[in-house]
Amino acid sequence: MAEHQLFRKRVLVTGGAGFLGSHLCQRLLDAGHDVLCVDNYYTGRRSNIEHLFANSRFEALRHDITAPLFVEVDEIFNLACPASPVHYQFDPVQTLKTCVHGSINMLGLAKRIKGKIFQASTSEVYGDPLVHPQLESYWGHVNPLGPRSCYDEGKRAAETLFMDYHRQHGVDIRIARIFNTYGPRMHPNDGRVVSNFVIQALQGQDITIYGDGSQTRSFCYVDDLIDGFLKLMEQSGTIGPCNIGNPNEFTIRQLAEAAVEMTGSRSKLVYLPLPTDDPKQRQPDITLAREALGWEPAVQLREGLERTIAYFDQLLAGKRSI
């Protein structure tokens, strides 16, 4: 028997047909585990997981986690929730229900099966931060009443639920705070800055920058992020929250210029008003991830952009299905 089969688990991934979820499902299968992918396909896409259907250890179930789920698994990765402003603001009440009701349902399942559960939280819990870079001990600067609040406050409430289930019921939890992530299988219409800039550049359209482009972000390639997920889940030294992201900081204008240059585009940069509550800066302090997980990102922006551009180039050419 292969060594990895001695530790074979049945793992539930909610939001498993999404951008991050589909990569996680692949990695878990590669490690020899059985995977139950649950998704309601609001933003997840069947095309993200079609290549996994032939694997006998992979199962896909259409389900919305705001309703209870009764399955037998060993571990849970809770990734279900729209993560881009375009999608989470379309139905803000449902977004908040996914964060709160969905977390309650998944935590209840973890309590019943006595299994470990991972929460995909977000750097949005820091809001428009007054501390830079952001440490896990920072409580954040968040508007509870704005158009982004359904997501920001939903994820903050989810972290509260995870900590309370841990303290009150002894549920074995892990919480990761995800910073901007990009790579193949991003939804082409999700409105996120990397996919927006790459698609606009490939199509020769104007590159739309919100604000003056001086606001900063830190971009983590998806493979690095999934490495961080798995390392956080496997260790027992910390339950989190733990920042998972690339600490290298870039302005939005620098990203736009890189997209134009790397695609050989003639696109021009145009500037539009900054959306409400859009943070001016976002950069993770990953000291905890380095010390507790032995993790730090390996793929830097230019290399990751090359892979992402190649993916969207094929998508726009009709060689990949949307």
Side-chain angles (χ1 to χ4, degrees):
M1 182 181 291
E3 183 177 348
H4 67 254
Q5 291 179 316
L6 297 174
F7 305 98
R8 181 168 164 180
K9 301 171 185 173
R10 179 166 164 79
V11 184
L12 167 61
V13 179
T14 73
F19 164 45
L20 300 181
S22 61
H23 284 275
L24 177 59
C25 287
Q26 178 73 68
R27 289 287 295 278
L28 290 167
L29 289 169
D30 290 346
H33 300 303
D34 296 335
V35 175
L36 173 59
C37 165
V38 167
D39 207 296
N40 67 354
Y41 297 104
Y42 173 58
T43 56
R45 295 175 290 159
R46 184 181 173 88
S47 60
N48 283 342
I49 55 172
E50 279 181 339
H51 65 293
L52 304 178
F53 289 167
N55 191 321
S56 62
R57 290 181 285 103
F58 179 77
E59 181 181 355
L61 173 66
R62 183 187 292 268
H63 180 81
D64 189 319
I65 65 164
T66 59
L69 180 64
F70 302 99
V71 293
E72 301 302 322
V73 294
D74 300 305
E75 289 183 353
I76 303 167
F77 284 85
N78 186 38
L79 275 60
C81 187
S84 73
V86 169
H87 292 137
Y88 67 64
Q89 291 177 15
F90 178 76
D91 191 344
V93 172
Q94 185 64 23
T95 296
L96 193 56
K97 287 172 69 175
T98 300
C99 291
V100 175
H101 294 184
S103 291
I104 290 170
N105 287 329
M106 291 304 104
L107 285 161
L109 175 59
K111 179 186 171 187
R112 179 179 68 80
I113 64 172
K114 296 180 173 58
K116 195 184 304 180
I117 181 169
F118 173 102
Q119 168 64 4
S121 191
T122 173
S123 61
E124 296 296 330
V125 301
Y126 299 121
D128 189 3
L130 302 178
V131 171
H132 192 74
Q134 292 80 59
L135 272 164
E136 291 88 350
S137 58
Y138 175 52
W139 288 0
H141 178 233
V142 178
N143 176 4
L145 304 175
R148 300 171 69 103
S149 303
C150 59
Y151 185 70
D152 301 356
E153 295 288 49
K155 289 290 191 177
R156 285 163 70 93
E159 287 196 14
T160 301
L161 283 162
F162 269 70
M163 289 304 300
D164 285 340
Y165 265 79
H166 174 67
R167 287 187 286 248
Q168 185 174 342
H169 300 298
V171 175
D172 193 2
I173 65 167
R174 301 289 185 274
I175 301 172
R177 288 178 178 165
I178 303 168
F179 283 69
N180 292 63
T181 306
Y182 68 101
R185 298 187 209 142
M186 293 184 79
H187 196 295
N189 302 316
D190 71 0
R192 292 193 233 194
V193 65
V194 172
S195 52
N196 270 4
F197 287 177
V198 169
I199 288 175
Q200 289 169 341
L202 287 170
Q203 294 183 326
Q205 300 171 351
D206 289 341
I207 306 292
T208 53
I209 295 176
Y210 294 94
D212 63 6
S214 64
Q215 65 270 38
T216 66
R217 296 293 185 271
S218 303
F219 301 101
C220 185
Y221 189 68
V222 61
D223 289 355
D224 284 335
L225 189 85
I226 301 303
D227 282 339
F229 282 10
L230 296 173
K231 286 180 180 292
L232 178 59
M233 195 64 154
E234 288 163 4
Q235 59 75 53
S236 57
T238 181
I239 61 172
C242 183
N243 290 337
I244 305 292
N246 192 316
N248 292 337
E249 189 178 20
F250 298 89
T251 68
I252 296 300
R253 187 185 304 110
Q254 285 176 315
L255 178 68
E257 290 169 348
V260 170
E261 183 254 315
M262 292 178 67
T263 57
S265 177
R266 296 184 178 181
S267 295
K268 298 177 182 176
L269 308 186
V270 298
Y271 297 86
L272 300 174
L274 196 66
T276 303
D277 297 329
D278 192 65
K280 300 178 193 67
Q281 53 190 8
R282 190 60 63 68
Q283 181 188 21
D285 183 311
I286 63 167
T287 301
L288 178 61
R290 284 194 177 109
E291 294 179 352
L293 314 183
W295 176 88
E296 61 183 327
V299 179
Q300 296 309 319
L301 184 62
R302 193 168 186 91
E303 179 185 354
L305 278 178
E306 287 176 357
R307 301 178 194 177
T308 307
I309 289 167
Y311 171 80
F312 279 118
D313 195 26
Q314 287 190 320
L315 192 70
L316 293 172
K319 294 178 182 178
R320 294 182 184 270
S321 59
I322 293 184

